[in-house]
Amino acid sequence: MARFIDELKRTHHCAELRAAEEGKEVVLFGWVASYRDHGGCVFIDLRDREGITQIVFDPNLTGHGDSPKAAYEAARALRNEWVVGVRGVVVSRGKNKNPKLPTGEIEIHAAELNVFNKADTPPFLIEDEIDTGEEKRLQYRYLDLRRAPLQKTLRVRHKINQVTRRYFDDKGFLELETPFMVKYTPGGARNFLVPSRLHAGKFYALAESPQLFKQLYMVAGFDKYFQIVKCFRDEDLRLDRQPEFTQIDVEMSFVNQDDVFRTMEGLVFAVWKEVLGIDLHEKYPSGRFPQMPFDESMTKYGNDKPDLRFAMPHDDLTALVIEHGGGGVSFLADIAKKFESGQLRRDLPGEIVKAMRVPGEHAQKLSRTEVDKLEDFVKGMGAKGLARAKVDKDGAWTQSPFAKTMTAELRQAINVKLGAKEGDLLLFQFGKASTVHTVLANLRVHLAKKLGLIPEVGHGGVFNFLWVVNPPLFEWDEDRTTWAAAHHAFTRPHDDCVDLLEKDPGKVLCYRYDLVLNGFEIGGGSIRLHDPDVQARVFRALGITDDDARAKFGFLLDALRFGAPPHGGIAVGMDRLAMLLSGAESLRDVIPFPKTQKGTDTMTDAPNRASPEQLAELRIRVVEPQP
RNA sequence: GGGGCGGUAGUUAAGUUGGUUAUAACGCCGGCCUGUCACGCCGGAGGCCGCGGGUUCGAGCCCCGUCCGCCCCGCCA
């Protein structure tokens, strides 16, 4: 029977002891965070998940027989990250306090030392600040996780989970589970497939979300559901996208959009209060977050997740350009002609002209070379170029490809529309609407970081929440030249739009909503369509036949006919929430064991090949790529 | 599928126009040291310059290919 652990139990953790405990005999377990051998005595910093306590090994410690001497001898061999147990006495450090440590007023004079385990020299130091690259840290993730910053972010996750469970439980929600292995349905995000051995040749899909099942819970009468749940999507990764991620998933019956908003606002307020100690009422006294129509968000910011910590909105100049017939500029005239000929519709334009005004106070910080670099930046996103103009006295434009050719009338009209003043920098994009929006949206954020309006990473102490509401139900699929569901086919259209389903599908708005924080979408949901007649008309508008619908969603359509209550819900990206809350650089910093940009795990070497036997059993043959 | 950046001791980086023995800091190893807490001092070891090919008298450096990591577009809510 081992003396430590079996006999000597841990009495305190490494952040616990203060001067009040002076004279007590204690037992501490932990990792050697630092050793300082002074020849005659040895100091170590002992670390566990709570903190650090200094241990002193002095061979002359009296009152413990020979054991302090043995402990001292053993301590001289200690190295970083060895796992040890120490029995000793709490002693005041007197005038030698270490103000950097919460336990700095005391130290443990060791009477007995036990080495549980030695450790290889780690590839990087286990400290708060290290400059080791992420590649190395991911390879040794268990060591990276031993560092205080990651211990802290995982605690943030823990807290979010606890607050969420308490909040929804208090409000009468039931935490209910849904299957991960579900029926494969094409469309939407790509699914990870799970081959079935019992049905060789057939596959389950890993659930992209619990969407359909939570609706079935509503049909079943559970009324209020929530779940903290893993979701899986086989799409390319980004800084804020991982193939497996966690959602706080919510669904409610007999509610409208505003009921969902109030519920989630309550949750966010509770999380901010309990995790950060921030009372969001100071910024949002009503307890409500502002709302912005989707259309306004697209026009002003180029996407549906605007970062409102700074201004610099965009303006749509398409109408002006058409009115002025292109204003003497050939490529603008080309676009104007397409509208006049009816090739493009003014209410649903496929091509647009937009501009962003960089106010003089900011523009003056940008050298001409820096503005040239912006052109490279936008070209990387598919822009043909970045037309610009510097506003001179009397609204004249300089440093601009338009300066010579554009009519004074159009130039003046644009100045008025943009509110352009002397010293301002105007940046233009025109062409395919989706490209123009993407380019200007990214350019706006890029510039804001460059100009110091928002920090390069993190929240900078500012949290700007926004509901983006009332988007169109359908969007035009240019490749397949059909209308496609912008979200999913079960979103409820506004009542006053239902008549447009057949006449003008692009004009149908719906009860869908996204919750945006500092330019990141942290949640999204909708009020669901529970009326079978309207549902049928939506399918028809999408060109989905009854047979198609039955094959894909038969079980849901059946369920909706057996007494479905009006219902709606939302899913919050829990990882993104944790990332923004803790000011982390990427999702990888708040996910314990994340994947790389290519979706691999460099620590375990997943994904890997399956054995021929396993593949044979599943009747799967791997086709190697042709060279 | 496309664009951009990167890969040199354990780690982070420097490395000139292609030139002789590839540097530094931290870490690591050994020695000394009883008040350190970024301990200090003395000494030492450590390199597939991502990988493969090419150009050259000579390649860390130039060229071609390839792999890996990161950011973005497409894709994805």
Side-chain angles (χ1 to χ4, degrees):
Chain A
M1 184 154 144
R3 180 159 159 75
F4 278 84
I5 294 184
D6 286 336
E7 251 176 74
L8 293 177
K9 296 293 182 187
R10 173 154 62 179
T11 60
H12 298 79
H13 61 68
C14 290
E16 204 169 354
L17 291 164
R18 298 291 183 275
E21 278 84 12
E22 208 185 333
K24 269 191 193 167
E25 179 166 300
V26 297
V27 176
L28 299 183
F29 296 153
W31 285 258
V32 176
S34 158
Y35 62 95
R36 299 176 289 279
D37 183 347
H38 282 248
C41 75
V42 175
F43 297 89
I44 71 166
D45 289 345
L46 190 67
R47 178 190 63 232
D48 64 14
R49 72 173 207 199
E50 305 295 333
I52 282 177
T53 299
Q54 172 163 287
I55 317 287
V56 186
F57 295 91
D58 183 341
N60 302 319
L61 181 67
T62 55
H64 298 272
D66 287 339
S67 90
K69 199 169 171 73
Y72 159 77
E73 292 298 339
R76 299 200 73 175
L78 289 177
R79 291 296 179 268
N80 283 337
E81 305 313 319
W82 288 25
V83 188
V84 301
V86 172
R87 178 175 65 86
V89 182
V90 181
V91 176
S92 166
R93 291 182 61 169
K95 286 181 182 160
N96 255 324
K97 281 183 198 149
N98 183 347
K100 291 178 192 163
L101 292 180
T103 60
E105 53 193 17
I106 56 93
E107 63 192 5
I108 309 302
H109 286 206
E112 195 173 350
L113 169 68
N114 183 58
V115 175
F116 292 119
N117 223 337
K118 299 180 177 185
D120 287 357
T121 302
F124 46 82
L125 294 175
I126 311 302
E127 296 175 344
D128 291 9
E129 302 283 333
I130 57 172
D131 50 14
T132 305
E134 195 182 11
E135 197 173 348
K136 264 293 179 281
R137 292 193 286 115
L138 284 176
Q139 195 185 333
Y140 298 93
R141 186 62 165 178
Y142 41 89
L143 293 180
D144 205 20
L145 289 172
R146 200 181 278 171
R147 297 170 52 238
L150 284 178
Q151 296 254 328
K152 206 175 142 199
T153 55
L154 293 199
R155 276 171 188 259
V156 166
R157 283 186 80 101
H158 165 77
K159 272 194 172 172
I160 295 172
N161 283 329
Q162 301 315 310
V163 173
T164 301
R165 291 207 160 92
R166 218 176 307 132
Y167 176 82
F168 282 117
D169 184 46
D170 285 350
K171 290 218 177 299
F173 285 72
L174 301 185
E175 182 172 2
L176 302 170
E177 290 166 88
T178 50
F180 286 150
M181 290 163 62
V182 300
K183 176 182 172 167
Y184 168 71
T185 52
R190 291 187 187 89
N191 293 108
F192 287 100
L193 291 181
V194 180
S196 164
R197 180 180 54 82
L198 296 176
H199 302 273
K202 293 186 176 177
F203 300 84
Y204 302 96
L206 291 182
E208 301 166 25
S209 75
Q211 181 62 42
L212 300 174
F213 289 92
K214 69 176 175 179
Q215 291 192 243
L216 297 179
Y217 274 134
M218 295 304 104
V219 174
F222 281 94
D223 203 294
K224 292 181 193 141
Y225 142 99
F226 87 102
Q227 189 182 188
I228 299 171
V229 61
K230 279 283 182 76
C231 303
F232 306 89
R233 290 176 195 168
D234 187 9
E235 295 294 343
D236 285 11
L237 285 76
R238 288 285 187 282
L239 174 107
D240 62 345
R241 279 164 32 187
Q242 282 271 312
E244 77 178 284
F245 59 100
T246 305
Q247 285 190 342
I248 299 170
D249 197 45
V250 180
E251 194 77 7
M252 307 157 75
S253 290
F254 310 111
V255 292
N256 63 15
Q257 175 169 297
D258 200 54
D259 296 320
V260 176
F261 288 4
R262 285 175 191 275
T263 301
M264 300 314 288
E265 284 157 353
L267 174 68
V268 171
F269 273 62
V271 167
W272 252 250
K273 182 77 201 157
E274 297 202 34
V275 177
L276 292 181
I278 290 178
D279 185 0
L280 287 174
H281 284 96
E282 286 172 23
K283 179 158 185 165
Y284 304 103
S286 64
R288 306 300 312 269
F289 295 143
Q291 301 177 18
M292 180 186 290
F294 175 92
D295 181 54
E296 180 184 342
S297 182
M298 290 305 290
T299 303
K300 284 188 174 172
Y301 307 106
N303 61 24
D304 58 355
K305 45 174 188 176
D307 190 337
L308 295 185
R309 286 177 295 173
F310 63 99
M312 287 213 292
H314 313 143
D315 273 291
D316 193 311
L317 305 177
T318 316
L320 285 183
V321 167
I322 298 170
E323 272 169 46
H324 289 79
V329 180
S330 60
F331 30 83
L332 295 183
D334 288 345
I335 292 178
K337 267 180 217 142
K338 286 186 197 166
F339 282 95
E340 281 156 21
S341 69
Q343 189 185 338
L344 292 171
R345 271 173 67 177
R346 283 182 77 151
D347 57 339
L348 291 172
E351 291 187 36
I352 54 174
V353 181
K354 287 184 83 175
M356 175 167 61
R357 180 178 71 89
V358 183
E361 52 175 314
H362 301 314
Q364 68 180 11
K365 290 188 221 155
L366 295 169
S367 71
R368 216 165 156 155
T369 339
E370 282 173 313
V371 179
D372 287 342
K373 279 199 188 131
L374 295 180
E375 182 144 13
D376 296 335
F377 176 79
V378 300
K379 278 181 177 167
M381 276 171 298
K384 288 180 222 87
L386 180 66
R388 63 188 111 149
K390 197 106 193 192
V391 181
D392 208 344
K393 287 190 286 273
D394 354 303
W397 290 356
T398 62
Q399 300 176 21
S400 174
F402 302 139
K404 296 259 157 54
T405 48
M406 187 181 289
T407 61
E409 291 74 24
L410 178 56
R411 193 188 70 223
Q412 207 45 48
I414 291 174
N415 278 344
V416 170
K417 172 96 178 167
L418 298 178
K421 292 189 290 286
E422 182 181 353
D424 290 354
L425 173 67
L426 310 181
L427 300 169
F428 298 87
Q429 282 293 305
F430 48 85
K432 208 175 125 194
S434 55
T435 307
V436 168
H437 282 136
T438 300
V439 166
L440 279 180
N442 284 308
L443 183 61
R444 176 174 170 270
V445 173
H446 177 77
L447 264 176
K449 287 180 178 167
K450 207 173 163 54
L451 294 166
L453 304 178
I454 53 172
E456 205 67 45
V457 294
H459 45 73
V462 181
F463 297 101
N464 237 309
F465 292 91
L466 177 74
W467 291 107
V468 174
V469 300
N470 302 341
L473 181 60
F474 305 113
E475 57 193 25
W476 184 247
D477 184 329
E478 291 179 25
D479 296 334
R480 297 187 302 144
T481 63
T482 60
W483 291 103
H487 188 53
H488 58 66
F490 307 104
T491 303
R492 182 178 161 194
H494 289 190
D495 293 343
D496 54 7
C497 290
V498 170
D499 288 344
L500 296 169
L501 279 171
E502 289 81 17
K503 281 188 257 171
D504 199 350
K507 288 273 180 60
V508 178
L509 303 182
C510 65
Y511 292 112
R512 195 188 107 212
Y513 31 83
D514 285 336
L515 180 57
V516 178
L517 168 57
N518 291 355
F520 287 87
E521 184 207 309
I522 58 168
S526 63
I527 299 299
R528 324 300 178 188
L529 186 39
H530 67 280
D531 179 334
D533 293 336
V534 179
Q535 181 71 70
R537 289 166 70 184
V538 168
F539 279 143
R540 226 172 290 140
L542 287 168
I544 297 176
T545 65
D546 289 356
D547 288 347
D548 289 342
R550 287 225 65 79
K552 278 172 88 171
F553 309 112
F555 62 97
L556 179 65
L557 298 176
D558 285 344
L560 293 177
R561 285 205 316 274
F562 284 107
H567 62 288
I570 189 167
V572 168
M574 196 269 202
D575 315 278
R576 285 186 189 171
L577 198 65
M579 172 177 98
L580 295 167
L581 208 55
S582 55
E585 270 187 62
S586 87
L587 272 200
R588 291 185 299 276
D589 292 337
V590 297
I591 293 177
F593 299 100
K595 304 289 188 286
T596 68
Q597 169 114 128
K598 285 226 172 90
T600 63
D601 178 341
T602 51
M603 180 177 65
T604 64
D605 195 32
N608 59 347
R609 288 177 182 273
S611 70
E613 294 75 20
Q614 173 111 45
L615 290 176
E617 195 169 41
L618 297 167
R619 304 219 327 255
I620 288 176
R621 187 176 300 138
V622 175
V623 182
E624 298 296 340
Q626 298 300 313

